[in-house]
Amino acid sequence: MLFRSTTEVINWSYHDCNVRLKAPIAISYKDDPELAMQLMVEAALATPRVLKDPAPVARLMSFGDNGINLECRIWINDPQQGINNVRSDLNLYMWRKFKEAGMTIPFQQHDVYIKNTPPQT
């Protein structure tokens, strides 16, 4: 069965070059998430090509197994110049800010418990 639609569709974003990027990062549970979020916004503002309006924001996304999961959200208006290079620059700025502030980025850890050991011969 074939349906024909006569409804007009308008793509309002066609001429808008603004693109939002997300940069997730995790911090240790021993670190202050509010300070980390402040540092993330500072790093975003220092990153070339990141727009000041709309302003960068940092969000606490979840409490993960290995740390507190945060996300920095930024806007650029020149995606034709590349997206991953901006994300890379932002990650480097966040890394530097975190390092200066003594923030730690956790890594996955596993504890192994040995309940029984074989008898020694």
Side-chain angles (χ1 to χ4, degrees), residues 35-86:
L35 174 59
M37 292 166 64
Q38 176 187 333
L39 295 173
M40 292 166 70
V41 170
E42 290 174 11
L45 291 170
T47 304
R49 295 181 48 209
V50 170
L51 299 178
K52 310 283 188 272
D53 184 30
V57 296
R59 299 284 185 244
L60 193 157
M61 301 306 290
S62 66
F63 298 99
D65 292 338
N66 302 302
I68 301 172
N69 298 315
L70 307 172
E71 187 174 87
C72 187
R73 298 176 182 181
I74 61 169
W75 289 87
I76 62 171
N77 63 1
D78 56 354
Q80 69 278 7
Q81 299 298 318
I83 292 175
N84 287 327
N85 54 352
V86 176

Side-chain angles (χ1 to χ4, degrees), residues 6-114:
T6 58
T7 306
E8 182 179 345
V9 176
I10 300 172
N11 185 351
W12 292 104
S13 64
Y14 180 71
H15 294 290
D16 187 2
C17 290
N18 287 358
V19 174
R20 185 176 79 170
L21 304 177
K22 300 175 184 178
I25 193 167
I27 61 169
S28 169
Y29 278 104
K30 68 178 181 148
D31 292 326
D32 179 0
E34 292 176 320
L35 174 59
M37 292 166 64
Q38 176 187 333
L39 295 173
M40 292 166 70
V41 170
E42 290 174 11
L45 291 170
T47 304
R49 295 181 48 209
V50 170
L51 299 178
K52 310 283 188 272
D53 184 30
V57 296
R59 299 284 185 244
L60 193 157
M61 301 306 290
S62 66
F63 298 99
D65 292 338
N66 302 302
I68 301 172
N69 298 315
L70 307 172
E71 187 174 87
C72 187
R73 298 176 182 181
I74 61 169
W75 289 87
I76 62 171
N77 63 1
D78 56 354
Q80 69 278 7
Q81 299 298 318
I83 292 175
N84 287 327
N85 54 352
V86 176
R87 189 176 288 122
S88 176
D89 290 346
L90 174 58
N91 283 333
L92 283 171
Y93 278 97
M94 287 193 300
W95 171 261
R96 290 177 189 139
K97 290 271 187 191
F98 279 25
K99 193 172 181 181
E100 289 172 9
M103 295 285 211
T104 52
I105 298 174
F107 55 92
Q108 192 173 30
Q109 299 179 35
H110 295 281
D111 293 329
V112 177
Y113 295 96
I114 300 172

